mmCIF file with all atom_site columns, all heavy atoms in Angstrom:
data_model
loop_
_atom_site.group_PDB
_atom_site.id
_atom_site.type_symbol
_atom_site.label_atom_id
_atom_site.label_alt_id
_atom_site.label_comp_id
_atom_site.label_asym_id
_atom_site.label_entity_id
_atom_site.label_seq_id
_atom_site.pdbx_PDB_ins_code
_atom_site.Cartn_x
_atom_site.Cartn_y
_atom_site.Cartn_z
_atom_site.occupancy
_atom_site.B_iso_or_equiv
_atom_site.pdbx_formal_charge
_atom_site.auth_seq_id
_atom_site.auth_comp_id
_atom_site.auth_asym_id
_atom_site.auth_atom_id
_atom_site.pdbx_PDB_model_num
ATOM 1   N N   . PRO A 1 407 ? -11.517 6.748  -24.250 1.00 98.00 ? 452 PRO A N   1
ATOM 2   C CA  . PRO A 1 407 ? -10.856 7.481  -23.173 1.00 98.00 ? 452 PRO A CA  1
ATOM 3   C C   . PRO A 1 407 ? -10.798 6.644  -21.895 1.00 98.00 ? 452 PRO A C   1
ATOM 4   O O   . PRO A 1 407 ? -11.780 5.981  -21.535 1.00 98.00 ? 452 PRO A O   1
ATOM 5   C CB  . PRO A 1 407 ? -11.750 8.715  -22.995 1.00 98.00 ? 452 PRO A CB  1
ATOM 6   C CG  . PRO A 1 407 ? -12.422 8.900  -24.314 1.00 98.00 ? 452 PRO A CG  1
ATOM 7   C CD  . PRO A 1 407 ? -12.655 7.493  -24.819 1.00 98.00 ? 452 PRO A CD  1
ATOM 8   N N   . ALA A 1 408 ? -9.680  6.690  -21.219 1.00 98.00 ? 453 ALA A N   1
ATOM 9   C CA  . ALA A 1 408 ? -9.496  5.840  -20.040 1.00 98.00 ? 453 ALA A CA  1
ATOM 10  C C   . ALA A 1 408 ? -10.502 6.167  -18.934 1.00 98.00 ? 453 ALA A C   1
ATOM 11  O O   . ALA A 1 408 ? -10.967 5.273  -18.219 1.00 98.00 ? 453 ALA A O   1
ATOM 12  C CB  . ALA A 1 408 ? -8.071  5.968  -19.503 1.00 98.00 ? 453 ALA A CB  1
ATOM 13  N N   . TRP A 1 409 ? -10.873 7.454  -18.795 1.00 98.00 ? 454 TRP A N   1
ATOM 14  C CA  . TRP A 1 409 ? -11.822 7.793  -17.745 1.00 98.00 ? 454 TRP A CA  1
ATOM 15  C C   . TRP A 1 409 ? -13.165 7.130  -17.995 1.00 98.00 ? 454 TRP A C   1
ATOM 16  O O   . TRP A 1 409 ? -13.851 6.710  -17.036 1.00 98.00 ? 454 TRP A O   1
ATOM 17  C CB  . TRP A 1 409 ? -11.965 9.317  -17.594 1.00 98.00 ? 454 TRP A CB  1
ATOM 18  C CG  . TRP A 1 409 ? -12.715 10.017 -18.676 1.00 98.00 ? 454 TRP A CG  1
ATOM 19  C CD1 . TRP A 1 409 ? -12.198 10.615 -19.786 1.00 98.00 ? 454 TRP A CD1 1
ATOM 20  C CD2 . TRP A 1 409 ? -14.129 10.199 -18.775 1.00 98.00 ? 454 TRP A CD2 1
ATOM 21  N NE1 . TRP A 1 409 ? -13.182 11.156 -20.565 1.00 98.00 ? 454 TRP A NE1 1
ATOM 22  C CE2 . TRP A 1 409 ? -14.398 10.919 -19.953 1.00 98.00 ? 454 TRP A CE2 1
ATOM 23  C CE3 . TRP A 1 409 ? -15.212 9.829  -17.955 1.00 98.00 ? 454 TRP A CE3 1
ATOM 24  C CZ2 . TRP A 1 409 ? -15.676 11.265 -20.362 1.00 98.00 ? 454 TRP A CZ2 1
ATOM 25  C CZ3 . TRP A 1 409 ? -16.495 10.172 -18.340 1.00 98.00 ? 454 TRP A CZ3 1
ATOM 26  C CH2 . TRP A 1 409 ? -16.729 10.880 -19.537 1.00 98.00 ? 454 TRP A CH2 1
ATOM 27  N N   . LYS A 1 410 ? -13.561 6.987  -19.280 1.00 98.00 ? 455 LYS A N   1
ATOM 28  C CA  . LYS A 1 410 ? -14.808 6.324  -19.600 1.00 98.00 ? 455 LYS A CA  1
ATOM 29  C C   . LYS A 1 410 ? -14.712 4.827  -19.325 1.00 98.00 ? 455 LYS A C   1
ATOM 30  O O   . LYS A 1 410 ? -15.661 4.204  -18.816 1.00 98.00 ? 455 LYS A O   1
ATOM 31  C CB  . LYS A 1 410 ? -15.177 6.551  -21.064 1.00 98.00 ? 455 LYS A CB  1
ATOM 32  C CG  . LYS A 1 410 ? -15.677 7.958  -21.388 1.00 98.00 ? 455 LYS A CG  1
ATOM 33  C CD  . LYS A 1 410 ? -16.186 8.043  -22.819 1.00 98.00 ? 455 LYS A CD  1
ATOM 34  C CE  . LYS A 1 410 ? -16.740 9.411  -23.120 1.00 98.00 ? 455 LYS A CE  1
ATOM 35  N NZ  . LYS A 1 410 ? -17.263 9.521  -24.502 1.00 98.00 ? 455 LYS A NZ  1
ATOM 36  N N   . VAL A 1 411 ? -13.577 4.226  -19.645 1.00 98.00 ? 456 VAL A N   1
ATOM 37  C CA  . VAL A 1 411 ? -13.391 2.795  -19.401 1.00 98.00 ? 456 VAL A CA  1
ATOM 38  C C   . VAL A 1 411 ? -13.488 2.517  -17.900 1.00 98.00 ? 456 VAL A C   1
ATOM 39  O O   . VAL A 1 411 ? -14.151 1.565  -17.455 1.00 98.00 ? 456 VAL A O   1
ATOM 40  C CB  . VAL A 1 411 ? -12.021 2.338  -19.938 1.00 98.00 ? 456 VAL A CB  1
ATOM 41  C CG1 . VAL A 1 411 ? -11.759 0.880  -19.566 1.00 98.00 ? 456 VAL A CG1 1
ATOM 42  C CG2 . VAL A 1 411 ? -11.960 2.529  -21.443 1.00 98.00 ? 456 VAL A CG2 1
ATOM 43  N N   . LEU A 1 412 ? -12.848 3.344  -17.087 1.00 98.00 ? 457 LEU A N   1
ATOM 44  C CA  . LEU A 1 412 ? -12.871 3.162  -15.633 1.00 98.00 ? 457 LEU A CA  1
ATOM 45  C C   . LEU A 1 412 ? -14.275 3.397  -15.082 1.00 98.00 ? 457 LEU A C   1
ATOM 46  O O   . LEU A 1 412 ? -14.719 2.695  -14.158 1.00 98.00 ? 457 LEU A O   1
ATOM 47  C CB  . LEU A 1 412 ? -11.869 4.099  -14.974 1.00 98.00 ? 457 LEU A CB  1
ATOM 48  C CG  . LEU A 1 412 ? -10.406 3.758  -15.266 1.00 98.00 ? 457 LEU A CG  1
ATOM 49  C CD1 . LEU A 1 412 ? -9.494  4.944  -14.916 1.00 98.00 ? 457 LEU A CD1 1
ATOM 50  C CD2 . LEU A 1 412 ? -9.953  2.515  -14.524 1.00 98.00 ? 457 LEU A CD2 1
ATOM 51  N N   . ARG A 1 413 ? -14.981 4.369  -15.646 1.00 98.00 ? 458 ARG A N   1
ATOM 52  C CA  . ARG A 1 413 ? -16.355 4.622  -15.197 1.00 98.00 ? 458 ARG A CA  1
ATOM 53  C C   . ARG A 1 413 ? -17.261 3.412  -15.468 1.00 98.00 ? 458 ARG A C   1
ATOM 54  O O   . ARG A 1 413 ? -18.027 2.983  -14.598 1.00 98.00 ? 458 ARG A O   1
ATOM 55  C CB  . ARG A 1 413 ? -16.918 5.844  -15.920 1.00 98.00 ? 458 ARG A CB  1
ATOM 56  C CG  . ARG A 1 413 ? -18.315 6.244  -15.463 1.00 98.00 ? 458 ARG A CG  1
ATOM 57  C CD  . ARG A 1 413 ? -18.987 7.137  -16.485 1.00 98.00 ? 458 ARG A CD  1
ATOM 58  N NE  . ARG A 1 413 ? -19.199 6.449  -17.743 1.00 98.00 ? 458 ARG A NE  1
ATOM 59  C CZ  . ARG A 1 413 ? -19.600 7.040  -18.855 1.00 98.00 ? 458 ARG A CZ  1
ATOM 60  N NH1 . ARG A 1 413 ? -19.830 8.343  -18.877 1.00 98.00 ? 458 ARG A NH1 1
ATOM 61  N NH2 . ARG A 1 413 ? -19.776 6.343  -19.960 1.00 98.00 ? 458 ARG A NH2 1
ATOM 62  N N   . VAL A 1 414 ? -17.130 2.834  -16.656 1.00 98.00 ? 459 VAL A N   1
ATOM 63  C CA  . VAL A 1 414 ? -17.948 1.669  -16.996 1.00 98.00 ? 459 VAL A CA  1
ATOM 64  C C   . VAL A 1 414 ? -17.579 0.486  -16.112 1.00 98.00 ? 459 VAL A C   1
ATOM 65  O O   . VAL A 1 414 ? -18.442 -0.262 -15.639 1.00 98.00 ? 459 VAL A O   1
ATOM 66  C CB  . VAL A 1 414 ? -17.816 1.315  -18.500 1.00 98.00 ? 459 VAL A CB  1
ATOM 67  C CG1 . VAL A 1 414 ? -18.554 0.019  -18.805 1.00 98.00 ? 459 VAL A CG1 1
ATOM 68  C CG2 . VAL A 1 414 ? -18.342 2.447  -19.355 1.00 98.00 ? 459 VAL A CG2 1
ATOM 69  N N   . LEU A 1 415 ? -16.291 0.284  -15.844 1.00 98.00 ? 460 LEU A N   1
ATOM 70  C CA  . LEU A 1 415 ? -15.863 -0.788 -14.960 1.00 98.00 ? 460 LEU A CA  1
ATOM 71  C C   . LEU A 1 415 ? -16.484 -0.611 -13.573 1.00 98.00 ? 460 LEU A C   1
ATOM 72  O O   . LEU A 1 415 ? -16.949 -1.577 -12.940 1.00 98.00 ? 460 LEU A O   1
ATOM 73  C CB  . LEU A 1 415 ? -14.336 -0.815 -14.842 1.00 98.00 ? 460 LEU A CB  1
ATOM 74  C CG  . LEU A 1 415 ? -13.588 -1.797 -15.725 1.00 98.00 ? 460 LEU A CG  1
ATOM 75  C CD1 . LEU A 1 415 ? -12.084 -1.669 -15.495 1.00 98.00 ? 460 LEU A CD1 1
ATOM 76  C CD2 . LEU A 1 415 ? -14.044 -3.225 -15.481 1.00 98.00 ? 460 LEU A CD2 1
ATOM 77  N N   . GLY A 1 416 ? -16.468 0.637  -13.079 1.00 98.00 ? 461 GLY A N   1
ATOM 78  C CA  . GLY A 1 416 ? -17.073 0.895  -11.791 1.00 98.00 ? 461 GLY A CA  1
ATOM 79  C C   . GLY A 1 416 ? -18.552 0.538  -11.757 1.00 98.00 ? 461 GLY A C   1
ATOM 80  O O   . GLY A 1 416 ? -19.050 -0.036 -10.782 1.00 98.00 ? 461 GLY A O   1
ATOM 81  N N   . ASN A 1 417 ? -19.252 0.835  -12.855 1.00 98.00 ? 462 ASN A N   1
ATOM 82  C CA  . ASN A 1 417 ? -20.666 0.486  -12.941 1.00 98.00 ? 462 ASN A CA  1
ATOM 83  C C   . ASN A 1 417 ? -20.877 -1.017 -12.996 1.00 98.00 ? 462 ASN A C   1
ATOM 84  O O   . ASN A 1 417 ? -21.786 -1.561 -12.346 1.00 98.00 ? 462 ASN A O   1
ATOM 85  C CB  . ASN A 1 417 ? -21.300 1.157  -14.151 1.00 98.00 ? 462 ASN A CB  1
ATOM 86  C CG  . ASN A 1 417 ? -21.419 2.658  -13.976 1.00 98.00 ? 462 ASN A CG  1
ATOM 87  O OD1 . ASN A 1 417 ? -21.619 3.151  -12.879 1.00 98.00 ? 462 ASN A OD1 1
ATOM 88  N ND2 . ASN A 1 417 ? -21.289 3.411  -15.079 1.00 98.00 ? 462 ASN A ND2 1
ATOM 89  N N   . LEU A 1 418 ? -20.050 -1.722 -13.773 1.00 98.00 ? 463 LEU A N   1
ATOM 90  C CA  . LEU A 1 418 ? -20.165 -3.183 -13.859 1.00 98.00 ? 463 LEU A CA  1
ATOM 91  C C   . LEU A 1 418 ? -19.895 -3.852 -12.522 1.00 98.00 ? 463 LEU A C   1
ATOM 92  O O   . LEU A 1 418 ? -20.449 -4.918 -12.224 1.00 98.00 ? 463 LEU A O   1
ATOM 93  C CB  . LEU A 1 418 ? -19.201 -3.724 -14.921 1.00 98.00 ? 463 LEU A CB  1
ATOM 94  C CG  . LEU A 1 418 ? -19.561 -3.453 -16.381 1.00 98.00 ? 463 LEU A CG  1
ATOM 95  C CD1 . LEU A 1 418 ? -18.450 -3.905 -17.305 1.00 98.00 ? 463 LEU A CD1 1
ATOM 96  C CD2 . LEU A 1 418 ? -20.879 -4.123 -16.764 1.00 98.00 ? 463 LEU A CD2 1
ATOM 97  N N   . LEU A 1 419 ? -19.045 -3.220 -11.723 1.00 98.00 ? 464 LEU A N   1
ATOM 98  C CA  . LEU A 1 419 ? -18.727 -3.765 -10.399 1.00 98.00 ? 464 LEU A CA  1
ATOM 99  C C   . LEU A 1 419 ? -19.725 -3.351 -9.335  1.00 98.00 ? 464 LEU A C   1
ATOM 100 O O   . LEU A 1 419 ? -19.630 -3.736 -8.172  1.00 98.00 ? 464 LEU A O   1
ATOM 101 C CB  . LEU A 1 419 ? -17.315 -3.314 -9.993  1.00 98.00 ? 464 LEU A CB  1
ATOM 102 C CG  . LEU A 1 419 ? -16.190 -3.967 -10.775 1.00 98.00 ? 464 LEU A CG  1
ATOM 103 C CD1 . LEU A 1 419 ? -14.881 -3.174 -10.601 1.00 98.00 ? 464 LEU A CD1 1
ATOM 104 C CD2 . LEU A 1 419 ? -15.991 -5.409 -10.337 1.00 98.00 ? 464 LEU A CD2 1
ATOM 105 N N   . GLY A 1 420 ? -20.706 -2.526 -9.711  1.00 97.00 ? 465 GLY A N   1
ATOM 106 C CA  . GLY A 1 420 ? -21.736 -2.094 -8.788  1.00 97.00 ? 465 GLY A CA  1
ATOM 107 C C   . GLY A 1 420 ? -21.258 -1.075 -7.768  1.00 97.00 ? 465 GLY A C   1
ATOM 108 O O   . GLY A 1 420 ? -21.808 -0.987 -6.667  1.00 97.00 ? 465 GLY A O   1
ATOM 109 N N   . LEU A 1 421 ? -20.246 -0.297 -8.117  1.00 97.00 ? 466 LEU A N   1
ATOM 110 C CA  . LEU A 1 421 ? -19.699 0.689  -7.187  1.00 97.00 ? 466 LEU A CA  1
ATOM 111 C C   . LEU A 1 421 ? -20.429 2.003  -7.316  1.00 97.00 ? 466 LEU A C   1
ATOM 112 O O   . LEU A 1 421 ? -20.854 2.397  -8.396  1.00 97.00 ? 466 LEU A O   1
ATOM 113 C CB  . LEU A 1 421 ? -18.199 0.884  -7.461  1.00 97.00 ? 466 LEU A CB  1
ATOM 114 C CG  . LEU A 1 421 ? -17.328 -0.368 -7.466  1.00 97.00 ? 466 LEU A CG  1
ATOM 115 C CD1 . LEU A 1 421 ? -15.875 -0.004 -7.783  1.00 97.00 ? 466 LEU A CD1 1
ATOM 116 C CD2 . LEU A 1 421 ? -17.413 -1.101 -6.129  1.00 97.00 ? 466 LEU A CD2 1
ATOM 117 N N   . GLY A 1 422 ? -20.530 2.752  -6.224  1.00 96.00 ? 467 GLY A N   1
ATOM 118 C CA  . GLY A 1 422 ? -21.141 4.062  -6.259  1.00 96.00 ? 467 GLY A CA  1
ATOM 119 C C   . GLY A 1 422 ? -20.140 5.120  -6.708  1.00 96.00 ? 467 GLY A C   1
ATOM 120 O O   . GLY A 1 422 ? -18.929 4.943  -6.638  1.00 96.00 ? 467 GLY A O   1
ATOM 121 N N   . GLY A 1 423 ? -20.647 6.236  -7.207  1.00 95.00 ? 468 GLY A N   1
ATOM 122 C CA  . GLY A 1 423 ? -19.793 7.358  -7.570  1.00 95.00 ? 468 GLY A CA  1
ATOM 123 C C   . GLY A 1 423 ? -19.228 7.288  -8.984  1.00 95.00 ? 468 GLY A C   1
ATOM 124 O O   . GLY A 1 423 ? -18.237 7.953  -9.274  1.00 95.00 ? 468 GLY A O   1
#
Side-chain angles (χ1 to χ4, degrees):
W454 72 266
K455 286 187 177 181
V456 175
L457 292 164
R458 183 199 64 189
V459 174
L460 263 179
N462 290 327
L463 288 174
L464 290 163
L466 307 179

